[in-house]
Amino acid sequence: MENWIELSTIEYNEVWDRIYGEFTFEPSISNFPSFKVPNPFITYDVSPYLNWSGDSDTYDEIYNDLEDKSLLVFQELTQKNEYMYALDWQHPGYWINPRMEFPKSEFDEWTVPIFPNGDYYFFIHKNLEWGLLGHPWEETITIFGKELIKGFEKHQPRMFQKILRQG
């Protein structure tokens, strides 16, 4: 078994069709939010970390904390051999298994980063029951689904401090 399995063209089109339809996804650099997720959801303002002015070691600690805790929550919500989506808008999408190794790129990030530092990055359950949606222009991360919210309440990333909206 491997991780970061690129979606086929059919899988890619099917999942994005569902996201555009079910989440009324309308990408925008100025009209926010760009998607409507089901209740319950929480949208966190992560703008201080996109416009970081502190030292790089602290930033790395906070970024790694987000990766580590997200992975832990994804592991708690998936079965041993279960895969979920890792999507980068208008770029290849992947099947990932949170319980397997997560190799990093030459930029020390996952193949699809967890932090929206330039594009929409979505980590979503295969049935779209829950997910983490990063919005680069609103500078937010939205989590939806009761179980995912509970998981992040249990394993609170340092980055999740300021709630912008919830439903």
Side-chain angles (χ1 to χ4, degrees):
M1 296 238 245
E2 55 183 290
N3 227 352
W4 300 103
I5 301 167
E6 190 169 338
L7 297 176
S8 70
T9 301
I10 292 171
E11 291 169 326
Y12 179 90
N13 291 335
E14 285 177 352
V15 71
W16 281 108
D17 285 349
R18 287 187 68 197
I19 288 169
Y20 277 95
E22 293 179 35
F23 299 155
T24 319
F25 182 46
E26 294 181 18
S28 174
I29 62 170
S30 59
N31 293 326
F32 309 135
S34 296
F35 40 75
K36 295 176 186 164
V37 293
N39 288 339
F41 72 88
I42 301 174
T43 299
Y44 292 96
D45 176 1
V46 295
S47 61
Y49 309 102
L50 279 160
N51 305 301
W52 186 255
S53 59
D55 69 279
S56 61
D57 287 342
T58 301
Y59 177 83
D60 289 345
E61 287 174 21
I62 293 169
Y63 186 94
N64 290 334
D65 177 67
L66 176 64
E67 280 186 342
D68 294 345
K69 290 186 175 162
S70 297
L71 195 54
L72 185 59
V73 172
F74 297 156
Q75 288 169 348
E76 289 180 353
L77 295 180
T78 56
Q79 300 299 314
K80 182 179 178 186
N81 295 315
E82 186 176 2
Y83 283 78
M84 59 185 280
Y85 292 111
L87 305 170
D88 179 352
W89 184 60
Q90 295 188 325
H91 297 281
Y94 299 89
W95 287 112
I96 57 167
N97 182 325
R99 297 165 182 274
M100 296 176 68
E101 184 182 354
F102 259 63
K104 293 190 177 186
S105 71
E106 66 271 18
F107 305 109
D108 200 31
E109 294 181 321
W110 295 345
T111 303
V112 173
I114 193 79
F115 186 65
N117 61 357
D119 216 335
Y120 291 97
Y121 301 134
F122 297 169
F123 290 80
I124 304 177
H125 182 268
K126 64 185 177 196
N127 294 331
L128 280 59
E129 294 172 12
W130 49 259
L132 180 151
L133 311 178
H135 192 308
W137 298 289
E138 188 181 36
E139 302 180 338
T140 60
I141 292 177
T142 298
I143 58 172
F144 72 92
K146 184 179 175 182
E147 297 305 316
L148 189 68
I149 290 170
K150 275 191 203 175
F152 277 113
E153 287 172 351
K154 182 179 171 185
H155 306 287
Q156 180 87 24
R158 290 172 59 186
M159 203 176 280
F160 287 3
Q161 298 299 315
K162 183 179 177 188
I163 295 174
L164 184 62
R165 334 174 253 283
Q166 63 188 106

